[in-house]
Amino acid sequence: MKDLSGRLARWSLQLQGFNFKIEHRKGSENVVADTLSRCVDEIAVDPTKLLGFETTEFAGDEYKDYRLARKLQSLCDHEMAGMPTADKLRAVQEKVRKCLESAYDRSRRRYDQRARVFTARPGQEVYRRNFVLSDFGKQFNAKFAKKFLKARVVKAIGGNAYELEDLDGRSLGVYHAKDIRV
């Protein structure tokens, strides 16, 4: 790879100590792409299959010591050269799992900040988004128009859509909850 910076450069340096082969997987077989939209508890994928490695047996006590040393960052990648391949693979798998979990957590926190609960009842007065376009012929600029106009809820259609009417009783159509404010 050429001109790497930031995260790609760090990953490239970390993976240089390993011998691996990159293979293309079609979308239906690529479970990694779908994991960020799922809860970590729902991910029931064996990490060996996730990275395409064959399952190997690990020595329990030796691996625990190695894992502890890696957590404490007392081993450098160049010191891993003498390690058995199974330990190297396990370390990479553990790192990938942690990165997926942290990416999921960041995504969930960002989504939770944006999400809002909206429910309206029939007859309630709300503000609907004003979808208006500029018109040069009429010398009208949409930037100066009101962003929201007052309306009344006629009925709820599904969980996120509402039929609205203006305050004079004329039907305005169906609006999504994201385009309605209380």
Side-chain angles (χ1 to χ4, degrees):
M1 291 186 195
K2 58 180 180 170
D3 298 333
L4 294 180
S5 63
R7 184 184 304 164
L8 288 177
R10 288 192 302 273
W11 276 90
S12 176
L13 288 173
Q14 183 138 10
L15 293 175
Q16 282 178 359
F18 301 99
N19 294 328
F20 58 90
K21 179 180 170 186
I22 298 175
E23 295 179 5
H24 173 73
R25 289 188 184 176
K26 62 182 184 179
S28 61
E29 296 173 359
N30 190 359
V31 296
V32 177
D34 194 33
T35 55
L36 292 179
S37 64
R38 300 197 183 277
C39 180
V40 176
D41 296 336
E42 293 178 16
I43 302 173
V45 177
D46 182 15
T48 57
K49 293 178 183 173
L50 182 72
L51 294 174
F53 300 127
E54 294 181 13
T55 305
T56 55
E57 295 295 323
F58 299 102
D61 293 334
E62 293 174 14
Y63 177 66
K64 287 179 185 175
D65 295 339
Y66 172 73
R67 194 163 143 190
L68 178 61
R70 290 294 292 173
K71 277 187 182 177
L72 299 173
Q73 297 179 346
S74 62
L75 287 179
C76 297
D77 290 333
H78 68 278
E79 293 175 355
M80 289 177 44
M83 293 293 218
T85 305
D87 287 343
K88 289 180 185 179
L89 295 177
R90 181 64 88 182
V92 171
Q93 292 168 352
E94 186 70 21
K95 180 76 169 177
V96 169
R97 186 187 62 76
K98 286 180 183 176
C99 287
L100 285 173
E101 285 178 1
S102 68
Y104 169 78
D105 286 339
R106 281 193 311 273
S107 176
R108 181 185 49 79
R109 281 193 305 268
R110 196 173 305 126
Y111 175 79
D112 288 348
Q113 287 177 344
R114 289 190 316 256
R116 72 177 178 104
V117 178
F118 177 81
T119 54
R121 59 189 183 285
Q124 181 179 358
E125 289 188 2
V126 295
Y127 290 91
R128 65 166 175 93
R129 187 174 302 277
N130 187 14
F131 295 104
V132 63
L133 299 175
S134 297
D135 189 352
F136 184 74
K138 296 179 181 176
Q139 298 180 347
F140 175 73
N141 191 337
K143 287 182 185 179
F144 302 119
K146 291 183 177 180
K147 301 293 183 212
F148 289 90
L149 299 174
K150 206 167 213 183
R152 185 177 300 119
V153 176
V154 176
K155 66 178 179 177
I157 301 174
N160 293 323
Y162 294 90
E163 185 177 338
L164 299 180
E165 64 182 11
D166 65 4
L167 297 179
D168 296 330
R170 290 185 298 248
S171 178
L172 297 173
V174 177
Y175 282 78
H176 192 274
K178 69 179 176 62
D179 297 320
I180 301 173
R181 301 286 186 262
V182 179

